[in-house]
Amino acid sequence: MPADWRTTEPLVGREAELERLLTAAGVADPEARGGVLLSGDAGIGKTRLLRELATRAAAAGHRVLAGHCLDLGDSGIPFQPFAEVLAALDDPTCKALSDAMPPLGPLMWGAADGAGVDRGELFSSVVAALELLAASQPVLLVVEDAHWADASTRHLIRYVLSQRYDGAVRIIVSYRSDDLHRRHPLRADVAEWSRLPGVQRLDLGPLDDEEVRTLVRARSAGAIGATGVAAIVRRAEGNAFIVEELLDVDDKNGPLPPTLADLLLVRLDRLDDAGRHVVRAIACAGGEVSDELLSAVVDLPAATIEDGVRAALDHRILSRTRHDGYAFRHALLAEVVRDDLLPAERRRIHAAYVEALTGRGDPADVARHAFEAGMAETAFTASVRAAEQATRVTGHEEAAQHYERALSVASAAPDGTDLIDLVIATSEALTASGYVRRAFGVVDDYLDRTAQDLSDADHGRLLVAYGTAALMADRQVEPAQAVERAFALVPEQPTALRASLEALAAIVAANERDNEEAIRWATQAITLGQRLGLSRVVADARATKARVRARIGDDPEGDERRFREVAESAHATGNIVSELRARHHLAFHHHDRGELDVAEREFLSTMRAAAKAGRQWAPYGFDGRFFASVTAYLRGRWDLVVELGDVAALRPPKVHAACLEAVGLLVSAGRGETAALATAGRLRDHFWKKDIALAIHSGTAAIDLAPDVASAETWHDDLVSTLASDWAGEFIPARLRMGGLLVGRYADAAPHASTAERHEWVESAQQLRHAGDRAIVERGPFGPEGRAWSLRLDAEILRLRWSAGEDVGLDPMLAAWRETTEIFAELGHVYEEARSAARLAAVLHAAGDVAGAKQVASAAYEKATTLRAEPLMNELEQLAGATTRASAPAAPDAVVAGEKPLTAREREVLDHLVEGRTNGEIASLLFISTKTVSVHVSNILAKLGASTRTEAAAIARRQQV
């Protein structure tokens, strides 16, 4: 097999085709004979499939011979692939073949044209050589890129395919199907070859979207986010070569690599002027083009247009569509052709499309062509119409894009246009599609530029929109500022603007935990809203009021009823935003009461309702998916977490996709999937400054995934720095969780660390406890989760000190780990309950409670198994094994050193004595007390007849005890 064909990369998405080739090549079916014609577009994966076949065939004992046809234009080398095959044989084999079949000499020794050799003798000699080689082992002959084969090579291929071999000879011929235009010489040959007995055809189609995602993940090792993966899936259209090229581009939606662009443009050079003219016009269309539209855009006679289309179809640049139109066979080719146009040429073509489509085309198409043609007023009007049309069918992301484009040419808007309405509509569409920061930025920018020129009423409208957008974008200060400024401009009169302002003021007060003010403003908004028939204002205010009353907590059943009433009322009036908000508050109502199963169900219900309304990435809609994922993680439903995070095909906003990846990293950490650390690094570099929950989830997962203590410390410190510089300060509740995880890493590593390292870690642990205390003072009191992690931090500090050899006492450790395990169980955090239980079992064992340790470890092992948390399972298995060994009687064949046998436990202690460890270090390694180690050491000295630890270690080394 050619050395350059060997590969370790996994084959993706070609399992069925590989099985078919393995059968045809005699690997899966030794009785198979004949050949295969393997076709597919350039870059579709033919060579990769053939390499996999060659690897499998070689492993099965086949001799793999590979030759390539070369693109040498009119200077082709006759019989090139066969000359390459023969030249690659070892010298003894070459000499044997040359002696037996002299006509092969010119091919073997460089005279590839076979001068002076009868063609019939040459052909029969090639077949005879294959038979001779097959006498010792099966032969697989692969001829690649037959679309470049010269006439002589094609004749020889036909000859070797048509033979009935006595030996095991199989032949695979590959070619590019997209190169076989109507007049290509191989086209007729392929038709003839496929009719030969035993010859079959196999055409490789594009990979499906999921296979492309798998390929991207395999090549990038998690370094590309969900939106980048989605862009590659969309642009590559199942072509593996294009996938590989796009992997090397930083901006997956940006310009193509020059090498790929040049390669695609070569195809255009095969057309005549009419063909290129037609192709360029269709490239600007952005999709399918009918004959009628093409005739209106291209200024050529109908017959000439038809000739151009036929040539483009023949060269497989275009393809027919189901609606009797034409489109590019690959969208990237259209992109390259479009980018290659001169600016004036591009504007002229787009202007022709505007003229042809105005009044009878989709406004979105008219708008796009008008922008490209530089027709600003037409672009503005068509964009607004397109946005309104998209909104009516819940296409919020498309509506946002059209509104933003309209704003970009707002100076060309017709007289009388209400630009404030346009700004508000743009912000609402962006919010509905999940781009809340952009939604805030649109209003903020317009407010900055126009505030001094606005009337009080218009200024007030804009401020209410500004405050609303600021809330959705999780801005800390701007919502309250907007409300204060708006109250100074909007009089206390029965207007829709005043009602909307009061509803906004209620939400702001609720967020600031000013319950009395929140209820007052909500009540006023409800009264005014009902008077004016403003159902959305009423529903929003009622949801705020219900939220505040639920926080007070004096009527849990009534709180649930009120949330459901608001949701049902909003649903009845078609007010999806208020409905989703009420559902969201209801889910958190159950979450805060510890009813995680109900909360998860409500979060999922909210997510589905939002998706049905086209608002799956909007506030409350995305929150449903995100918090359902977080809740599922807590409950130990980790496969659901993975399922909810698999959103690449849904094309989410980048930050939303990253948030879900962050929760998924918690699962990866629990399952010990260390490759996921690359994903954590990408999230840190690009997204930590954009979402605090994203930073905390991915950062804490990375502390667990880090390969060593130093790396875990770096992740911890990076997260602290981000919290301090970009969010609400470093002393937040998450510091307890971060500290507990890092101290846990210290404790795990302490038995194998130096004394200096242990001392440093104990000091660091105390500083982490101090940071946690500051967080409690500045941000407390905390709920159950905060209390759980505070207890966990204390318990880990005790474990660290114990592992470092300090005499902390087993009773305090037992109490700490028992309380920690219990509070995580009450919280419903399945994984951390099991992990804490593992620590508890270790301490119970050290205290001599073997039965108790086994019982706790067994229960925790069941949970870890359900989660498929391999590292924790291994820890618990080792612990269970230790308890079993400790409770078993000494084996009859215990090692004898001196006159008395050492028990299994004494042997373990002696092994550590030989390594020079102290009693405290041995105790922490074997999960026993220092006092017990001292007793074992005394017994060992007595049994070995040694007076010192050093002498005992020397005896052990000498006798290999």
Side-chain angles (χ1 to χ4, degrees), residues 473-487:
D474 290 327
R475 307 288 295 193
Q476 300 297 314
V477 177
E478 289 86 348
Q481 292 177 339
V483 167
E484 182 180 358
R485 291 167 61 189
F487 272 129

Side-chain angles (χ1 to χ4, degrees), residues 708-756:
D708 50 50
V709 169
S711 179
E713 286 181 319
T714 298
W715 279 101
H716 175 276
D717 294 347
D718 286 351
L719 185 51
V720 170
S721 176
T722 297
L723 295 174
S725 61
D726 296 291
W727 296 104
E730 59 180 295
F731 298 108
I732 64 172
R735 289 302 301 271
L736 295 165
R737 175 177 164 192
M738 295 157 56
L741 293 174
L742 182 55
V743 176
R745 295 298 305 267
Y746 290 155
D748 290 339
H752 310 287
S754 67
T755 301

Side-chain angles (χ1 to χ4, degrees), residues 567-907:
E568 291 167 3
S569 175
H571 180 76
T573 59
N575 182 0
I576 184 62
V577 176
S578 297
E579 178 190 351
L580 293 177
R581 184 177 173 221
R583 285 174 174 265
H584 174 80
H585 291 328
L586 174 61
F588 263 108
H589 170 70
H590 290 292
H591 184 278
D592 293 344
R593 295 177 63 189
E595 299 166 352
L596 296 186
D597 54 341
V598 182
E600 181 188 297
R601 186 172 66 247
E602 293 295 340
F603 282 130
L604 289 172
S605 175
T606 305
M607 177 192 78
R608 295 186 186 106
K612 188 175 180 181
R615 302 180 66 92
Q616 61 182 336
W617 308 119
Y620 310 126
F622 172 68
D623 292 335
R625 180 183 290 269
F626 177 77
F627 287 108
S629 183
V630 172
T631 306
Y633 170 74
L634 295 175
R635 297 184 64 213
R637 289 162 49 81
W638 285 6
D639 289 341
L640 177 59
V641 176
V642 175
E643 177 186 333
L644 291 172
D646 186 13
V647 295
L650 303 177
R651 298 180 61 187
K654 292 181 180 179
V655 175
H656 293 58
C659 286
L660 294 169
E661 284 186 293
V663 182
L665 278 174
L666 296 173
V667 174
S668 297
R671 289 177 171 168
E673 298 166 351
T674 54
L677 199 60
T679 301
R682 174 172 51 78
L683 297 184
R684 175 185 57 191
D685 295 342
H686 300 291
F687 294 101
W688 275 18
K689 296 179 182 295
K690 296 182 179 180
D691 189 280
I692 187 172
L694 183 160
I696 291 170
H697 288 320
S698 58
T700 51
I703 293 172
D704 270 343
L705 284 167
D708 50 50
V709 169
S711 179
E713 286 181 319
T714 298
W715 279 101
H716 175 276
D717 294 347
D718 286 351
L719 185 51
V720 170
S721 176
T722 297
L723 295 174
S725 61
D726 296 291
W727 296 104
E730 59 180 295
F731 298 108
I732 64 172
R735 289 302 301 271
L736 295 165
R737 175 177 164 192
M738 295 157 56
L741 293 174
L742 182 55
V743 176
R745 295 298 305 267
Y746 290 155
D748 290 339
H752 310 287
S754 67
T755 301
E757 286 175 318
R758 294 172 184 169
H759 178 74
E760 179 184 340
W761 293 343
V762 170
E763 290 293 324
S764 178
Q766 295 303 326
Q767 294 172 9
L768 293 169
R769 178 68 260 184
H770 176 68
D773 290 338
R774 280 198 60 180
I776 292 172
V777 172
E778 295 184 13
R779 300 298 181 90
F782 297 151
E785 186 173 8
R787 292 196 298 272
W789 282 108
S790 184
L791 289 171
R792 171 70 167 274
L793 176 55
D794 286 337
E796 292 286 18
I797 290 174
L798 286 173
R799 185 167 74 98
L800 169 62
R801 292 173 57 198
W802 183 47
S803 299
E806 294 186 24
D807 188 9
V808 298
L810 292 175
D811 288 343
M813 288 184 61
L814 280 172
W817 282 110
R818 184 169 282 117
E819 189 175 7
T820 301
T821 303
E822 289 172 353
I823 194 168
F824 275 118
E826 292 173 6
L827 188 64
H829 199 326
V830 175
Y831 176 62
E832 294 303 346
E833 176 195 353
R835 185 150 61 161
S836 299
R839 312 285 196 261
L840 173 60
V843 182
L844 285 169
H845 179 264
D849 186 357
V850 177
K854 178 175 284 189
Q855 182 179 7
V856 171
S858 297
Y861 184 80
E862 289 184 14
K863 291 182 173 65
T865 302
T866 301
L867 300 172
R868 301 201 304 279
E870 291 288 343
L872 183 56
M873 290 167 63
N874 294 336
E875 179 181 341
L876 289 162
E877 280 179 331
Q878 292 176 3
L879 183 60
T883 58
T884 301
R885 288 193 300 271
S887 59
D893 58 346
V895 177
V896 176
E899 297 181 357
K900 296 181 179 181
L902 297 180
T903 66
R905 176 61 83 187
E906 288 167 350
R907 172 63 182 271

